Structures are given as structure tokens and as C-alpha cells.
């Protein structure tokens, strides 16, 4: 757990190469249509916007950003770096860590065991802190539900908020994000593929449409009881 994170040294700091903002959907090798939702540039801007929004609401509080593995952890680190950059002189302490939710998932009995991830919290804990959970995609809400359960075993924050890069809808639980990078209408059969330099060598968010006979844009009606896993 780092108390004063170094600014992310990737796209946000150095300024990524500007890409076409109008990339057309392309069919991948599996026949799915893949359309770009965020480029490296727009992803970096989105992280910056969320950082500003967090500061607007909690600029003088001590903030603990907890990323949910996998990519939520890297997103939390980037956000922490940008918060540190944008924070004013009266800013509180900004900490960043990670929260493993593996043992709190509600589908443990339906799927093969998953490897445990790292949980890393501030040395002085999370009691009375403003905790912002960070994840890349919000979909059914079950991951966030698990994160809230995991958090309860570590302390009692003053406030818990949620920041996500993408909200793709189709919630199965009464959960919403406080900070949303981008709302993307999706069909159940779609996938929102987030790639980050730290894990994938590139920053991008794509909408992958598998029943690729129809148009790529626009939402499809959800059917009840979807389980992506
Ligand atoms: O709202 P939900 O339906 O729970 O879906 C969102 C979660 O799904 C993905 O994680 P995944 O479990 O695929 O693991 P990963 O982050 O390691 O890719 C994503 O990173 C979110 O954590
Ligand atoms: O489309 C989705 C849904 C959940 N998690 C993802 O990463 N993508």
C-alpha cells in the first residue's frame, strides 16, 4: 500500500499519441465486431475527469483508493497518481491499495477455484476513511457486492464510493457507481474488453459484439438471469 503514489508514468503523464476518434468497427479473428470505445488518449482523459470529480467531492479528505483485481488495481494506481497531481494544498492524504474479492464471490460453487489476489490496505486501516472502490467494468454488480463484503472484514470506512471506467448496464443487484468514465449501452452477448498497458501492453476499451450480424451501436434488450461467468 503506497501512501503517496507516484504519478502513473504511462499515457496520462507523457501524453499518448493521438489516435483516430472515429475508428470503425472491425471484425476480429473469431468473427466478432470490435469497436473502439476509448483510445489511449480518451482513456487517459477519462481517468483525469474521474480524478477531478473525486477531488470535487473529497478534495480535503483522506482518500483511500482500493482497486479490485485485476485491472481495477492499475486503474486505482493511475487515479491516485492523477489525484496527487491535481490535489490542492489543502488536500488530505491519498492512499492506494487493492482489495481481493475472490472468497466473497457468490459463484464460488459454480466455477473452478480462482487464485487469490493481493489485498493491500493502508497501515492505519480504513476505519473512518473515505474509501473509493475502483474497477474497470461495472456489469451485474456482483463483483462490487463481493467487494463491499470483503471491505466489511477490514474495517468501517466513513464513506464507501465506487469509481468505474465503464458502466455497461445489466445490473442484477441494487448497485450504482459514484464516478463513471463512460456509460456504454450493451447487449448481454456483448463484451466490454478493457486493456491496460500494465496488463495488456496497450490502453483501450472496445465493445465486442459476438452476434455480429446486426449493427454494432445501440443496446439490446436484456433477458433475465444472465450470468457472464
Ligand atoms: O459487475 P460484474 O458482473 O461483477 O462484472 C464486472 C467485473 O468483471 C470483470 O472482472 P473479471 O471477474 O472478469 O476478472 P478480471 O478483472 O480479472 O478480468 C471486471 O474487471 C469487473 O471486476
Ligand atoms: O463485458 C464485461 C463484463 C464484465 N467484465 C468485463 O470486463 N467486461
Amino acid at each position: 500500500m503506497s501512501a503517496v503514489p507516484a504519478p502513473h508514468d504511462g499515457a496520462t503523464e507523457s501524453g499518448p499519441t493521438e489516435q483516430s476518434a472515429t475508428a470503425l468497427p472491425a471484425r476480429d479473428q473469431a468473427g466478432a465486431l470490435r469497436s473502439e470505445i476509448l483510445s489511449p488518449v480518451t482513456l487517459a482523459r477519462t481517468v483525469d475527469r474521474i480524478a477531478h470529480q473525486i477531488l470535487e467531492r473529497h478534495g480535503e479528505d483522506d482518500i483511500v483508493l482500493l482497486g479490485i483485481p485485476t485491472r481495477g488495481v492499475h486503474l486505482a494506481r493511475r487515479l491516485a497518481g492523477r489525484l496527487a497531481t491535481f490535489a490542492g494544498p489543502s488536500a488530505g492524504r491519498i492512499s492506494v491499495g487493492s482489495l481481493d474479492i475472490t472468497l466473497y464471490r457468490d459463484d464460488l460453487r459454480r466455477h473452478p477455484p480462482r487464485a487469490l489476489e493481493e489485498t493491500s490496505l493502508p497501515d492505519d486501516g480504513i476505519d473512518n476513511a473515505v474509501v473509493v472502490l475502483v474497477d474497470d467494468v461495472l456489469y451485474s454488480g456482483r463483483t462490487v457486492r463481493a467487494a463491499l463484503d470483503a471491505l466489511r472484514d477490514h474495517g468501517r470506512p466513513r464513506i464507501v464510493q465506487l469509481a468505474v471506467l465503464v458502466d455497461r448496464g445489466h445490473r442484477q443487484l441494487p448497485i450504482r457507481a459514484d464516478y463513471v468514465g463512460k456509460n456504454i449501452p450493451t447487449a448481454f452477448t456483448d463484451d466490454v474488453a478493457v486493456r491496460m498497458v500494465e496488463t495488456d501492453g496497450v490502453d483501450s476499451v472496445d465493445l465486442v459484439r459476438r452476434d455480429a450480424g446486426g449493427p454494432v451501436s445501440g443496446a439490446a434488450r436484456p433477458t433475465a438471469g444472465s450470468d457472464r461467468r
Side-chain angles (χ1 to χ4, degrees), residues 15-214:
T17 310
E18 190 80 47
Q19 285 193 341
S20 164
T22 55
L24 290 172
R27 213 169 279 278
D28 67 16
Q29 286 179 332
L33 275 182
R34 186 177 272 265
S35 45
E36 182 182 82
I37 304 294
L38 294 176
S39 68
V41 171
T42 51
L43 194 153
R45 284 192 193 128
T46 302
V47 169
D48 282 3
R49 173 165 48 79
I50 296 174
H52 281 296
Q53 289 172 340
I54 293 173
L55 285 173
E56 272 175 29
R57 288 163 74 169
H58 296 292
E60 298 184 1
D61 292 321
D62 290 344
I63 300 169
V64 179
L65 294 159
L66 290 183
I68 300 174
T70 307
R71 290 171 188 77
V73 175
H74 302 292
L75 205 51
R77 290 183 187 144
R78 291 194 194 187
L79 268 174
R82 301 312 280 164
L83 283 172
T85 300
F86 301 143
S90 59
R93 193 164 40 132
I94 298 162
S95 309
V96 61
S98 60
L99 183 67
D100 179 33
I101 59 119
T102 307
L103 296 177
Y104 299 86
R105 298 172 69 102
D106 61 8
D107 60 358
L108 282 177
R109 270 179 283 180
R110 298 168 61 177
H111 294 275
R114 293 180 173 222
L116 297 184
E117 308 275 354
E118 186 187 2
T119 289
S120 164
L121 302 174
D123 289 342
D124 48 358
I126 55 171
D127 280 346
N128 300 316
V130 172
V131 168
V132 181
L133 296 171
V134 181
D135 207 352
D136 55 348
V137 178
L138 177 58
Y139 180 40
S140 69
R142 290 176 188 272
T143 298
V144 173
R145 199 275 315 147
L148 291 169
D149 278 3
L151 211 52
R152 194 183 52 185
D153 281 355
H154 294 290
R156 187 177 186 281
R158 180 163 67 84
I159 299 173
V160 181
Q161 295 192 321
L162 174 64
V164 296
L165 188 61
V166 172
D167 181 348
R168 62 163 290 188
H170 302 296
R171 215 76 78 243
Q172 295 171 357
L173 296 170
I175 282 171
R176 63 162 181 82
D178 300 276
Y179 311 100
V180 179
K182 185 129 183 144
N183 287 290
I184 305 179
T186 62
F188 265 129
T189 47
D190 294 342
D191 195 19
V192 172
V194 175
R195 292 184 289 190
M196 297 184 67
V197 167
E198 297 88 329
T199 47
D200 312 289
V202 64
D203 279 349
S204 66
V205 178
D206 289 348
L207 175 62
V208 182
R209 182 144 287 179
R210 299 195 190 288
D211 56 343

